[in-house]
Amino acid sequence: MNSPVAGVGPAGQGASGQRVIDHVNASLKRRYAAERRFRAMGMAAVALGLLLVVVLFADIVGKGYTAFQQTYIQLSIAFDPDVIDPEGKRDPDALQAADYAKLVRAALKAQFPEVTERQDVRALSAIMSPGAPQQLQHLVEADPGLIGQTRSVWLIGNDDVDMVTKGQIDRNAAEGERRVDDRTLAWLDALAAKGQVRLGFNTGFFTNGDSREPELAGIAGALAGTFYTLLLTLVFAFPIGVGAALYLEEFAAKNRLTDFIEVNINNLAAVPSIVFGLLGLAVFINLFGVPRSTPLIGALVLALMTLPTIIIASRAALKSVPPSIREAALGVGASPLQAQFHHVIPLAMPGMLTGAILGMARALGETAPLLMIGMIAFIVDVPHGITDPATVLPVQIYLWADSPEMAFVERTSAAIMVLLAFLITMNLTAVLLRRRFERRW
């Protein structure tokens, strides 16, 4: 009969056994405490990240939401035929060449007849935007019957008046410390007391091109340039990227050459974007003579930058399709090419589209490569084709951020809000596409 182990009872409750259990329990307590600390640190990191994102968005929205409103001043405009159409022919060229600024000055003089000094008259005229005469011109061109009549018209105020109305200029500061002097404030207060000053929706922000005058500056040109550029980028990059991924994943022999190509594709995905801008400048512009500062050259550069992302995502999507799909297609007599195009690619398409949309979202936010190919130019007109001079939204934001006028600060933040809305929409579309068409095997 075996003798019991010294120091250990029948149920393992001896002295040495008790010490082992205590040691294990203490070790478990330490591990559980470490796990709780790790979870707490993870939650704190997530909370800090979300807090910083909220602060960033709050700062952008707080500075930019006012750009969606614009100050308008109501004036009684006498559409004097002697100024607009002295010959009475209603000729479109004569209507376009008329001195509509004179009508604005006359309306202001009638509103403030006590202002007679030349310097004061100039200061009074300056409360209106340089775009106010253009508003009158558009009204007359749309309805020549206005000539000879007197109408109350809401016209755009200048950027300083807009800042005062929105409370972004401290009226209580010393006169020498603010951009608006006391007499301008007095005129503005007199107009406001009569209900002739109001804030309205700033439609020009979405319909105008760029301008040196902040109250007239809009993002229509940048939006059109961004649309053409991204559309061409998708047309160039998606077919080539999917074709390259299909060949490398399904048809290419596994040798040193394909390994070299795969390594370089992965490396290109991490290359700084400005390198692609230098490549576009050297090859597309200097060598092939592609027009500078157009959506075409921008799309070529961004397509090169987006290709690695699309190829990598497409290869991953092709790998996710089970081999049984290929084998079944080949088993019923399909050729390898038919098996890929009729069976494999349709099942891998959601992943390919997701990669393409994410690549487009990255291209949408790029500025550095576009600066190298001249898309930093000051473009007033809205582009109507892929070879018209254009800029894109990120570059427009860069130009406005570099402007010294106070009113461009809110327009910069508003343009960032529009850009973020596009980026969120594109990323949300990618997620929805994957969830909608993804199959689980």
Side-chain angles (χ1 to χ4, degrees), residues 179-191:
R179 290 172 57 90
V180 180
D181 56 20
D182 290 338
R183 60 181 176 178
T184 302
L185 290 179
W187 295 328
L188 189 58
D189 290 339
L191 291 170

Side-chain angles (χ1 to χ4, degrees), residues 88-328:
K89 296 181 179 180
R90 305 291 174 91
D91 181 57
D93 293 335
L95 296 181
Q96 187 175 4
D99 186 8
Y100 293 95
K102 186 175 182 179
L103 302 182
V104 177
R105 292 194 297 268
L108 288 171
K109 186 176 181 179
Q111 187 78 38
F112 298 98
E114 70 278 5
V115 179
T116 56
E117 297 292 333
R118 176 172 297 187
Q119 186 177 4
D120 293 337
V121 170
R122 289 181 179 177
L124 178 61
S125 300
I127 70 173
M128 305 304 300
S129 168
Q134 297 176 6
Q135 288 182 270
L136 298 180
Q137 177 185 334
H138 294 158
L139 288 176
V140 172
E141 290 176 347
D143 183 12
L146 290 174
I147 299 176
Q149 300 184 20
T150 300
R151 294 287 182 87
S152 292
V153 183
W154 289 96
L155 300 176
I156 300 177
N158 75 354
D159 59 318
D160 290 335
V161 168
D162 189 45
M163 293 293 99
V164 171
T165 307
K166 294 175 181 177
Q168 298 184 16
I169 291 181
D170 186 8
R171 299 168 62 102
N172 298 321
E175 185 176 10
E177 298 178 359
R178 47 182 159 83
R179 290 172 57 90
V180 180
D181 56 20
D182 290 338
R183 60 181 176 178
T184 302
L185 290 179
W187 295 328
L188 189 58
D189 290 339
L191 291 170
K194 298 178 181 179
Q196 294 178 248
V197 178
R198 68 174 174 88
L199 284 174
F201 183 71
N202 188 6
T203 56
F205 183 75
F206 297 97
T207 59
N208 295 343
D210 197 8
S211 174
R212 301 293 185 190
E213 305 297 333
E215 70 275 10
L216 301 178
I219 60 174
L223 285 178
T226 300
F227 171 75
Y228 288 128
T229 302
L230 286 183
L231 180 63
L232 284 178
T233 301
L234 183 63
V235 170
F236 293 152
F238 187 70
I240 297 175
V242 171
L246 181 64
Y247 176 76
L248 290 173
E249 190 62 33
E250 303 292 341
F251 296 102
K254 304 301 180 183
N255 52 36
R256 292 184 178 180
L257 178 60
T258 55
D259 290 342
F260 176 77
I261 293 174
E262 291 177 7
V263 169
N264 280 277
I265 289 174
N266 293 328
N267 289 337
L268 283 174
V271 169
S273 58
I274 196 170
V275 175
F276 293 99
L278 293 171
L279 177 65
L281 177 64
V283 177
F284 296 131
I285 294 179
N286 294 339
L287 185 60
F288 293 109
V290 179
R292 183 188 293 265
S293 189
T294 61
L296 178 59
I297 181 62
L300 289 171
V301 171
L302 293 180
L304 288 178
M305 188 190 72
T306 308
L307 266 176
T309 303
I310 296 178
I311 293 174
I312 293 171
S314 299
R315 292 190 66 186
L318 290 170
K319 287 180 181 179
S320 67
V321 178
S324 58
I325 300 294
R326 301 172 177 83
E327 295 167 359

Side-chain angles (χ1 to χ4, degrees), residues 12-31:
Q13 298 298 325
S16 7
Q18 188 65 36
R19 287 194 297 270
V20 171
I21 292 174
D22 293 340
H23 179 73
V24 171
N25 290 336
S27 176
L28 287 175
K29 289 181 180 180
R30 287 194 298 271
R31 282 185 287 174

